[in-house]
Amino acid sequence: MPFLDTRVPAVLVRIDRNPFHHGTLGAVRSLGRAGVEVHVVADSTGSPVRRSRFVSEMHPPPRPNASAPEIAGVLRRVAARVSRPAVLIPMDDASAVAVGRMRDELMPGYLLPQQPGALAERVADKAQLAALCEHVGIPHPVTLVPESAAQAAAAAWRLGLPVVAKWSRPWLVPAGSGLRSTVVVNSAQEAQALYLRSAEAGSRLLLQAFLPPGPDLDWFFHGYADRSGTVRGGGPGRKQRAWPRTAGLTAVGRWTPNPQVQALAERLTGALGYRGILDLDFRRDSATGRYHLLDFNPRPGAQFRLFADACDVDVVRAQHLDLTHRPLPPPAPLPGRAFVVENYAPLSALRCRPGKRELAWYARDDRAPGLAMWALWCRHVALRLLDRLRRSAPAPASVRIGRQAGPPSSVTDNEKASRC
């Protein structure tokens, strides 16, 4: 295990209200097991993370869609409570962008990578990422940014249906809106309808050429670019199973050597002068064999613990070592290692051999979060099933008859719905 400076605490910040974010738990355990005092700025309501014995203290997060100055204000209050400089690690895009914007204001209380300008915001913005890839020469799906609903329809036809629709700043999409950060669009009418919700989404809609999924086509790369720009603490991985299927997060991933993905990642970070933790998503075009960059996340990916090497160095430990001026041990990769998220791939979790994989939730030395997750997950699944049953249930006979005959009623549609 690398010798971390346990005098320096760590603060993890996540604005996203997702209680099933296993990446936060992975960071808590990684640093806590090394003896680092870990503070978590995140919603603790029902969160399994708060049950971890490695959490020193939970702190209330900023409100959803808080501005960068508001987020900085929350982090300054946490810094005052911690009372000594801490390594700050954003765990979602919203916090990574805010920390990048407010870096100078946060520096007295936190240790942060020397990130140039607003680079975190530029790479997290899907439209700006497309322009950066074109400038640097990194393969990226053809991307169009329509300026009207008519242009959205025309762009869909031009790219060839189906197309991928993304909001350029997905962290601004409001919870409960029914909008998703990325969807596959199958018609020009769907593209138009999405464009008309741009104001609600909070950012521009972009349409992207669709690269069909398939076995061994989805890859990711995790790493930490240190003070010199050298990428440490990670590697290339293959997505073996996703949730939702073909287009979601990594439910099962495997550390798999891939010189092409490694070279693309290092070339991109070097050209941009990027510093800090990164999580890149690639898809290989089965027709050309080229790897296309789909996303650049300027923070740890949820499955970053896949890349804990033989020295037990991962990206969050690499950042702590680097920012506290401790030497990083030489890379000691463990290709073939697997990472499984139990609630999304329970059968894979049962099949995997101990020692060859890491589970997202269960840990022998920290059992409480896994138990809390299963209780919360069963409740979540039950509520989803009940909601589907309610929506699929036929209307009562009295309501059906009333709609078929009789004079128009003054009762509103909303009142009818509430009576049903």
Side-chain angles (χ1 to χ4, degrees):
M1 178 183 292
F3 185 64
L4 275 66
D5 189 343
T6 57
R7 298 169 300 176
V8 180
V11 174
L12 312 178
V13 55
R14 198 185 82 245
I15 300 172
D16 175 24
R17 287 334 198 225
N18 176 15
F20 299 109
H21 191 266
H22 48 275
T24 303
L25 179 60
V28 166
R29 286 172 170 167
S30 177
L31 295 167
R33 284 171 179 149
V36 173
E37 179 183 313
V38 183
H39 294 256
V40 181
V41 184
D43 183 22
S44 63
T45 306
S47 171
V49 174
R50 68 186 174 91
R51 303 287 300 277
S52 174
R53 70 185 186 90
F54 297 111
V55 172
S56 297
E57 188 173 354
M58 297 287 298
H59 303 267
R63 65 177 180 83
N65 298 321
S67 67
E70 288 177 300
I71 296 168
V74 170
L75 291 175
R76 282 196 295 268
R77 289 194 291 273
V78 173
R81 182 169 178 82
V82 174
S83 75
R84 59 196 189 279
V87 173
L88 178 60
I89 303 178
M91 297 301 299
D92 63 359
D93 288 344
S95 56
V97 168
V99 168
R101 286 184 186 175
M102 309 301 293
R103 183 180 182 280
D104 293 341
E105 290 82 351
L106 293 170
M107 277 297 289
Y110 293 104
L111 305 179
L112 294 165
Q114 291 284 344
Q115 190 71 272
L119 185 55
E121 186 171 0
R122 293 173 65 200
V123 297
D125 186 304
K126 311 302 181 188
Q128 291 193 52
L129 178 62
L132 287 172
C133 286
E134 183 177 1
H135 176 72
V136 176
I138 299 292
H140 187 272
V142 177
T143 301
L144 302 175
V145 183
E147 299 293 338
S148 67
Q151 283 189 18
W157 285 116
R158 177 180 168 187
L159 291 170
L161 295 166
V163 298
V164 176
K166 296 182 177 180
W167 300 110
S168 64
R169 299 188 168 198
W171 62 91
L172 298 178
V173 175
S177 64
L179 293 171
R180 295 181 58 188
S181 60
T182 302
V183 295
V184 176
V185 170
N186 293 295
S187 71
Q189 290 75 19
E190 287 181 48
Q192 284 182 310
L194 271 179
Y195 179 87
L196 294 174
R197 301 185 69 179
S198 296
E200 183 184 356
S203 65
R204 294 180 293 174
L205 177 73
L206 58 88
L207 298 175
Q208 203 170 78
F210 178 72
L211 296 178
D216 301 331
L217 297 182
D218 286 314
W219 292 75
F220 48 87
F221 183 91
H222 293 199
Y224 171 72
D226 66 15
R227 284 169 292 160
S228 69
T230 304
V231 179
R232 312 289 293 274
R238 182 164 52 90
K239 185 183 293 189
Q240 293 183 305
R241 183 166 299 178
W243 181 271
R245 292 180 64 185
T246 74
L249 58 80
T250 300
V252 181
R254 189 171 297 278
W255 191 340
T256 308
N258 189 319
Q260 290 176 273
V261 168
Q262 181 99 23
L264 286 171
E266 293 178 352
R267 180 153 63 92
L268 178 61
T269 55
L272 298 178
Y274 186 88
R275 299 291 183 271
I277 297 174
L278 58 126
D279 165 26
L280 309 180
D281 288 321
F282 292 89
R283 178 167 287 177
R284 181 166 61 87
D285 185 339
S286 58
T288 65
R290 301 178 77 199
Y291 289 88
H292 292 251
L293 181 68
L294 302 183
D295 285 311
F296 190 132
N297 302 304
R299 39 80 180 168
Q303 73 273 26
F304 79 90
R305 279 292 301 171
L306 169 64
F307 300 106
D309 67 10
C311 298
D312 214 5
V313 172
D314 56 35
V315 293
V316 300
R317 287 186 173 185
Q319 176 162 328
H320 197 283
L321 287 165
D322 185 50
L323 296 182
T324 56
H325 298 270
R326 295 293 176 109
L328 274 75
L334 293 173
R337 193 166 186 267
F339 184 85
V340 183
V341 187
E342 304 97 298
N343 51 317
Y344 299 126
L347 295 180
S348 295
L350 292 173
R351 284 196 298 264
C352 285
R353 292 176 293 170
K356 295 285 187 179
R357 58 97 172 102
E358 181 163 333
L359 297 177
W361 294 101
Y362 174 78
R364 187 173 296 176
D365 63 343
D366 191 32
R367 298 173 186 266
L371 296 173
M373 182 280 294
W374 280 119
L376 189 64
W377 183 254
C378 291
R379 181 174 179 272
H380 169 75
V381 171
L383 290 174
R384 291 288 296 270
L385 289 174
L386 285 173
D387 182 57
R388 287 185 181 182
L389 288 172
R390 289 193 193 102
R391 284 184 292 173
S392 62
S398 59
V399 175
R400 292 200 300 270
I401 293 170
R403 288 177 180 171
Q404 290 172 356
S409 169
S410 61
V411 179
T412 66
D413 289 340
N414 287 339
E415 288 171 332
K416 290 177 183 176
S418 65
R419 291 179 184 175
C420 297

